[in-house]
């Protein structure tokens, strides 16, 4: 049996570790309804519909009556504590079309007058709780505010006492209900504005215009104490309308749909017998929410509108009442309600019930029923009251488990909230700044928050791979003679023998015969190194963004509780990081210029080893070429002829120098970034923050302002405290209850 209610999406179901399903609005019927037997039909003589007074007194004084009283008192206490915000409590929802007789049914059940108009009357849910274990009549009306004007659930409900009426005021209940509804629809105005409004003033209001809502999910709670009442609680929903704007029709439908989706909600559908069953929109909505009909009860109204000649209609409604058509688990009831003339006479409840009983006894086909338990309001109210009590009792064990679990979850969430500072503001801020700067340094050095170092290592590895791809791609043969022969690949080249001989020829000046011009080597090297700035800048930007993101994470971790302080620290940190970035870029540009001209290395041994290795490799590949030892070349005839040996030597020299230069470069750039960007920032940020925060004429006042807690965090903490307190009250009431 599901209890927990959360704002889940329609059509979904979540399950807690205790096995209690949370309300999800799927429309599926609760298994608890299947476990509760259908309302029994007690056979009696045709004239007996309500039972004798002595029988009723005997029941009232029985152990069963005491049990009913205890359950209903617990149920009302849970509702007053807002338990139905957290849990899917059993409830009865009354729905119907605008002219289905729903208002008359509410009046017949409760004995109070409700607002009536030719247009839309009910624009918000009205929860009516009746108690008979009292000595005198009293009616209390309150507003339960759970939704904001946009229809979003606030999390905690606010209960506003609106009025308390004595027996002498009982004829004014409908006026007070109008006032309460107007206050719910127009939340921007004080409640007191509506408590003295006249009926004329109320009718002048225009719901749906300006700041006044057309409908609201917030609830009017009516607590009725009446010795003549039956213990029952139900919620009356706005009537389904047809002759209104499309927007109002949709809102009314959605409001009804939302309130009947709960798996523990019993749906009472008022169905006027003046219309065909197939035309009942309320029945369609109930069927949609409860496809199996296990938690739907049909209440057939207006049987006195069926004329004597409508034999077919009479037989059809008779079949529905007997369950032959459109069967429901708990069946149907048929009630005859007061008409306008009888309401004008203000007949007592007993007088109205007597007229109803006489109607069913004397009117065909109802007079022919041996089972009278499905006729009249008293039978109907007695049965649904017992059904509601059975549902409440059946749900108590799992409700206790659900409350305990939610208290634990709420307590854990509250404990995880940031602690409210107890230190003096200046001390608190300086401590937090010091902790923040210390963690920044540890993150930069890889001692903590290692995600920063891991990110930057990936950027440096990608940078190294990009630089290595600029290694000139030399082919030590003429490509046209052997296109399938290849040594390695790169982004610069390929250069075959003819290409290198051409570079040599174009670089010649007044060199002596047999001398290879240095510019030939330099020009090919520069074809590679001119690609390095793009890869370097890409790496630098990636590291900068990683560092900036890490700073944001750390600022949020230390200061998110205080939005003003968080903004201040973040702004100053970003400003200091930008300053370090500018300095680091200057060094990066210098390192890039170092790899242009002159070409230079003191790593002679490594250079010589690499040149020898590459010359051997290129010579070996060249000699495997099909046109070796031909001196033919695909390049134009140079001014001074150079040999293939010269070209192979240039290839080896460039490749060797690339190895020397690239290896030092892929080390220098990461080290420059780490020292001149990240480590410089980690070194400077503490003093930068202190210089700014501690400056100004009113430092204590500024500190106090910076340490003002973020409103959302304060509100969430207060929300959790209130929720926890409410849940503990619910837990206490449940623990006190025993039958």
């Amino acid at each position: 049996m599901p209890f927990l209610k959360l704002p889940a999406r329609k059509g979904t179901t979540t399950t807690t570790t205790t096995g209690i399903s949370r309300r999800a609005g799927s429309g599926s019927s609760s298994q608890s309804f299947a476990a509760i037997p259908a309302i029994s039909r007690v056979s009696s003589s045709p004239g007996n519909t309500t039972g004798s007074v002595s029988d009723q007194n005997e029941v009232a004084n029985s152990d069963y009556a005491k049990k009913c009283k205890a359950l209903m008192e617990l149920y009302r206490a849970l509702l007053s504590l807002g338990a139905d915000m957290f849990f899917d409590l059993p409830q009865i929802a009354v729905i119907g079309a605008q002219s289905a007789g729903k208002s008359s049914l509410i009046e017949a059940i409760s004995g109070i007058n409700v607002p009536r108009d030719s247009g839309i009357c009910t624009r918000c849910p009205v929860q009516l709780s009746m108690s008979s274990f009292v000595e005198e009549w009293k009616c209390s009306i309150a507003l339960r505010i759970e939704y904001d004007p946009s229809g979003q659930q606030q999390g905690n409900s606010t209960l506003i006492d609106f009025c308390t009426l004595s027996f002498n005021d009982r004829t004014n209940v409908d006026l007070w209900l109008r006032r309460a509804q107007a206050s719910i629809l127009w939340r921007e105005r004080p409640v007191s504005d509506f408590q003295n409004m006249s009926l004329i003033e109320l009718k002048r209001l225009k719901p749906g215009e300006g700041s006044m809502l057309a409908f609201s999910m917030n609830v009017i709670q009516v607590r009725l104490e009446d010795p003549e009442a039956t213990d029952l609680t139900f919620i009356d929903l706005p009537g389904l309308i047809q002759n209104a704007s499309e927007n109002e029709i949709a809102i009314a439908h959605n409001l009804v749909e939302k309130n009947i989706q709960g798996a523990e909600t019993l749906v009472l559908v008022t169905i006027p017998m003046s219309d065909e069953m197939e035309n009942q929109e309320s029945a369609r909505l109930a069927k949609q929410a409860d496809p199996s009909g296990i938690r739907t009860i049909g209440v057939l109204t207006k049987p006195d509108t069926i004329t004597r000649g409508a034999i077919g209609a009479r037989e059809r409604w008779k079949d529905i009442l007997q369950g032959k058509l459109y069967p429901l688990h708990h069946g149907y009831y048929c009630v005859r309600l007061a008409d306008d003339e009888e309401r004008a006479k203000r007949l007592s409840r007993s007088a109205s019930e007597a007229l109803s009983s006489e109607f069913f006894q004397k009117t065909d086909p109802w007079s022919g029923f041996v089972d009278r338990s499905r006729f009249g309001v008293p039978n109907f109210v007695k049965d649904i009251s017992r059904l509601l009590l059975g549902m409440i009792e059946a749900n108590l064990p799992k409700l206790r488990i659900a409350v305990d679990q939610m208290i634990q979850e709420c307590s854990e969430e509250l404990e995880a909230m940031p602690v409210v500072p107890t230190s003096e503001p200046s001390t608190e801020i300086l401590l937090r700044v010091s902790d923040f700067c210390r963690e920044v340094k540890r993150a930069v050095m890889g001692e903590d928050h290692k995600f920063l170092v891991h990110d930057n290592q990936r950027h440096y590895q990608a940078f190294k791979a990009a630089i290595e791809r600029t290694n000139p791609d030399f082919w030590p043969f003429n490509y046209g003679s052997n296109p399938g022969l290849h040594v390695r690949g790169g982004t610069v080249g390929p250069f075959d023998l003819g290409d290198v001989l051409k570079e040599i020829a174009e670089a010649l000046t007044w060199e002596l015969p047999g001398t290879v011009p240095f510019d030939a080597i330099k020009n090919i090297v520069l074809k590679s190194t001119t690609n390095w700035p793009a890869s370097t800048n890409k790496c630098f930007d990636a590291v900068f963004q990683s560092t900036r993101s890490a700073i944001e994470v750390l600022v949020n971790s230390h200061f998110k509780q205080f939005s003003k302080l968080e903004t201040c620290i973040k702004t100053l940190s970003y400003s200091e990081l930008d300053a370090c970035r500018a300095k680091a870029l200057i060094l990066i540009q210098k390192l890039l210029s170092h790899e242009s001209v002159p070409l230079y290395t003191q790593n002679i041994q490594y250079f010589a080893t690499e040149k020898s290795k590459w010359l051997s490799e290129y010579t070996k590949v060249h000699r495997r070429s099909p046109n070796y030892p031909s001196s033919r070349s695909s390049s134009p005839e140079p001014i001074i002829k150079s040999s293939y040996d010269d070209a192979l030597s240039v290839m080896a020299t460039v490749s060797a120098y690339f190895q020397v230069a690239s290896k030092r470069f892929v080390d220098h750039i990461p080290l420059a970034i780490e020292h001149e960007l990240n480590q410089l920032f980690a070194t400077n940020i503490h003093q930068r923050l202190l210089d700014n925060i501690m400056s100004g004429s009113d430092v204590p006042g500024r500190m106090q302002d910076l340490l003002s807690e973020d409103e959302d965090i304060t509100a969430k903490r207060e929300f959790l405290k209130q929720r926890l307190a409410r849940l503990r009250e619910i837990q206490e009431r449940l623990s006190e209850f025993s039958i």
Side-chain angles (χ1 to χ4, degrees):
M1 290 174 285
F3 286 94
L4 290 178
K5 179 178 71 173
L6 293 177
R9 293 191 301 272
K10 185 176 180 181
T12 63
T13 301
T14 57
T15 304
T16 69
T17 55
T18 60
I20 301 172
S21 297
R22 298 174 183 253
R23 177 184 290 184
S26 64
S28 61
S29 298
S30 167
Q31 293 182 355
S32 61
F33 280 96
I36 297 175
I39 299 172
S40 60
R41 304 188 179 192
V42 182
S43 297
S44 63
S45 62
N48 182 12
T49 62
T50 61
S52 66
V53 175
S54 60
D55 290 339
Q56 293 177 13
N57 290 337
E58 183 178 350
V59 171
N61 295 323
S62 66
D63 291 338
Y64 173 76
K66 294 177 182 178
K67 177 180 178 180
C68 292
K69 177 184 178 182
L71 279 171
M72 288 306 298
E73 285 182 347
L74 173 65
Y75 183 64
R76 280 190 288 269
L78 295 177
L79 291 178
S80 67
L81 291 171
D84 53 337
M85 284 185 59
F86 310 119
F87 313 103
D88 191 1
L89 296 181
Q91 71 169 354
I92 297 174
V94 184
I95 68 172
Q98 189 175 3
S99 58
K102 187 165 63 70
S103 297
S104 298
L105 179 64
I106 301 301
E107 290 182 342
I109 293 173
S110 63
I112 62 174
N113 296 327
V114 298
R116 291 174 176 274
D117 277 322
S118 56
I120 304 171
C121 236
T122 306
R123 293 180 176 270
C124 68
V126 179
Q127 187 180 73
L128 179 58
S129 180
M130 302 186 298
S131 175
S132 64
F133 298 94
V134 293
E135 295 182 357
E136 59 182 21
W137 190 97
K138 186 173 72 172
C139 180
S140 302
I141 299 177
L143 314 180
R144 196 177 84 186
I145 308 303
E146 184 180 339
Y147 296 85
D148 63 23
S150 68
Q152 295 297 315
Q153 196 169 22
Q154 298 175 159
N156 279 334
S157 65
T158 302
L159 196 64
I160 303 171
D161 292 330
F162 195 76
C163 70
T164 299
L165 308 177
S166 63
F167 181 81
N168 294 332
D169 301 317
R170 64 183 303 171
T171 57
N172 293 325
V173 173
D174 56 342
L175 175 61
W176 280 99
L177 288 174
R178 289 177 185 270
R179 291 168 174 169
Q181 179 171 267
S183 180
I184 274 186
L185 296 177
W186 204 336
R187 294 299 307 136
E188 292 185 2
R189 292 182 60 174
V191 171
S192 57
D193 285 2
F194 301 94
Q195 290 173 321
N196 296 311
M197 276 192 179
S198 66
L199 180 61
I200 294 176
E201 289 175 318
L202 289 166
K203 288 189 174 184
R204 286 175 182 167
L205 299 176
K206 296 181 178 180
E209 295 186 8
S211 299
M212 192 173 188
L213 301 175
F215 291 90
S216 175
M217 286 291 294
N218 291 317
V219 179
I220 298 174
Q221 287 190 338
V222 181
R223 175 76 180 270
L224 179 62
E225 299 178 8
D226 184 355
E228 297 182 3
T230 299
D231 288 85
L232 182 64
T233 297
F234 59 89
I235 187 163
D236 178 30
L237 299 173
L240 299 171
I241 52 179
Q242 300 295 332
N243 298 321
S245 68
E246 291 185 5
N247 184 53
E248 286 188 323
I249 292 173
I251 293 175
H253 274 63
N254 291 338
L255 197 152
V256 170
E257 288 176 341
K258 184 176 179 64
N259 278 277
I260 65 174
Q261 293 294 339
E264 296 299 322
T265 297
L266 190 66
V267 185
L268 298 187
V269 186
T270 53
I271 303 169
M273 300 168 77
S274 56
D275 198 358
E276 296 293 335
M277 185 68 168
E278 291 76 11
N279 296 334
Q280 306 296 329
E281 177 67 9
S282 57
R284 187 190 67 80
L285 290 181
K287 180 72 173 177
Q288 180 178 306
D290 176 31
S292 62
I294 202 170
R295 56 185 184 86
T296 303
I297 294 179
V299 184
L300 308 181
T301 64
K302 302 185 179 182
D304 48 344
T305 61
I306 304 177
T307 62
R308 290 183 177 272
I311 298 174
R314 287 172 178 267
E315 289 301 315
R316 186 172 177 80
W317 287 114
K318 177 181 175 182
D319 289 344
I320 291 173
L321 186 60
Q322 292 177 330
K324 297 178 182 179
L325 294 176
Y326 307 105
L328 298 172
H329 181 65
H330 294 295
Y332 294 83
Y333 289 82
C334 186
V335 296
R336 189 266 185 195
L337 304 170
D339 56 25
D340 291 342
E341 182 180 352
E342 293 168 4
R343 278 194 298 271
K345 294 178 180 179
R346 294 189 177 273
L347 296 177
S348 66
R349 182 183 296 173
S350 59
S352 293
E353 290 173 359
L355 288 174
S356 173
S357 178
E358 181 182 4
F359 170 80
F360 287 116
Q361 290 176 11
K362 295 182 177 181
T363 306
D364 185 58
W366 325 123
S367 58
F369 277 66
V370 175
D371 182 0
R372 315 296 296 166
S373 63
R374 293 289 170 150
F375 294 112
V377 172
N379 286 333
F380 162 66
V381 172
K382 177 184 64 177
D383 285 350
I384 62 171
S385 175
R386 288 178 176 175
L387 180 59
L388 178 62
L389 288 170
M391 293 162 57
I392 295 170
E393 184 178 10
N395 278 273
L396 285 179
K398 289 186 178 179
L399 178 59
R400 289 189 173 99
I401 295 174
V403 171
D404 292 344
Q405 178 178 320
M406 185 168 280
I407 286 177
Q408 180 180 349
E409 292 173 354
C410 190
S411 299
E412 291 173 354
E413 190 173 0
L414 187 58
E415 290 174 2
M417 291 287 293
V419 178
V420 178
T422 56
S423 305
E424 187 269 335
S426 297
T427 303
E428 182 69 28
I429 290 177
L430 291 177
L431 288 173
R432 287 177 179 268
V433 167
S434 296
D435 289 343
F436 164 71
C437 294
R438 183 164 47 252
E439 286 203 30
V440 167
K441 180 165 287 189
R442 289 176 62 83
V444 168
M445 301 308 295
E447 298 170 1
D448 200 359
H449 305 290
K450 296 181 184 294
F451 66 89
L452 175 60
V453 172
H454 294 165
D455 284 348
N456 289 346
Q457 287 278 24
R458 285 191 290 271
H459 298 321
Y460 296 144
Q461 290 168 5
F463 165 71
K464 178 183 177 183
I467 296 300
E468 288 176 345
R469 285 194 296 271
T470 64
N471 191 352
D473 186 11
F474 289 120
W475 293 4
F477 47 81
N478 287 323
Y479 176 73
S481 63
N482 191 2
L485 195 60
H486 191 43
V487 179
R488 54 185 168 77
T491 58
V492 179
F495 299 98
D496 67 1
L497 285 174
D499 296 324
V500 175
L501 289 174
K502 182 179 178 182
E503 290 284 347
I504 294 173
E506 291 178 352
L508 284 172
T509 56
W510 298 106
E511 284 80 7
L512 295 174
T515 303
V516 176
F518 178 73
D519 280 357
I521 297 171
K522 180 187 72 175
N523 291 340
I524 299 177
V525 168
L526 292 179
K527 290 180 187 294
S528 288
T529 57
T530 52
N531 292 285
W532 290 4
S535 300
T536 303
N537 292 332
K538 182 179 179 180
C539 174
F540 181 85
D541 290 342
V543 173
F544 177 80
Q545 290 302 324
S546 292
T547 303
R548 185 181 174 92
S549 297
I551 292 171
E552 182 177 13
V553 170
L554 293 175
V555 170
N556 182 266
S557 173
H558 286 269
F559 305 104
K560 68 178 179 181
Q561 186 176 356
F562 315 100
S563 57
K564 292 182 179 179
L565 182 59
E566 180 186 18
T567 300
C568 175
I569 298 297
K570 188 179 291 184
T571 301
L572 292 172
S573 297
Y574 287 169
S575 175
E576 180 61 28
L577 185 64
D578 287 340
C580 294
R581 181 179 186 273
K583 293 178 181 179
L585 280 174
I586 293 174
L587 177 58
I588 296 297
Q589 295 306 316
K590 286 183 178 179
L591 291 175
L592 283 168
S593 66
H594 293 169
E595 297 303 333
S596 55
V597 289
L599 307 185
Y600 181 75
T601 182
Q602 291 195 93
N603 198 350
I604 300 173
Q605 182 65 39
Y606 179 65
F607 175 78
T609 301
E610 284 293 306
K611 181 176 179 181
S612 175
K613 180 188 75 175
W614 284 109
L615 182 59
S616 174
E617 177 70 15
Y618 290 143
T619 301
K620 180 170 60 177
V621 173
H622 171 66
R623 288 176 177 174
R624 292 203 304 265
S625 177
N627 64 346
Y628 178 80
S630 170
S631 60
R632 291 176 298 170
S633 173
S634 60
S635 61
E637 189 72 16
I639 300 172
I640 299 177
K641 293 184 178 180
S642 296
S643 68
Y644 284 162
D645 289 340
D646 292 336
L648 293 174
S649 177
V650 169
M651 290 181 178
T653 302
V654 171
S655 295
Y657 183 77
F658 181 88
Q659 294 300 315
V660 172
S662 64
K663 286 186 181 299
R664 72 189 176 204
F665 189 68
V666 297
D667 285 340
H668 287 167
I669 293 300
L671 286 172
I673 296 174
E674 288 300 312
H675 282 276
E676 297 300 316
L677 178 67
N678 293 339
Q679 292 185 23
L680 183 63
F681 172 81
T683 301
N684 294 349
I685 186 59
H686 188 258
Q687 192 61 45
R688 174 70 182 276
L689 294 178
L690 292 182
D691 290 345
N692 184 276
I693 293 174
M694 301 301 294
S695 64
S697 57
D698 184 17
V699 174
R702 187 182 183 207
M703 292 286 195
Q704 183 70 47
D705 183 57
L706 288 174
L707 206 64
S708 57
E709 189 173 52
D710 182 76
E711 293 180 359
D712 291 340
I713 295 177
T714 303
K716 184 177 180 181
R717 184 186 294 109
E718 188 60 29
F719 161 76
L720 290 173
K721 286 182 178 179
Q722 292 178 6
R723 168 170 283 201
L724 187 58
R726 189 74 60 87
L727 287 169
R728 284 176 173 158
E729 286 186 77
I730 294 171
Q731 184 185 52
E732 183 178 355
R733 292 306 298 259
L734 288 170
S735 65
E736 292 173 351
F737 177 78
S738 62
I739 299 178

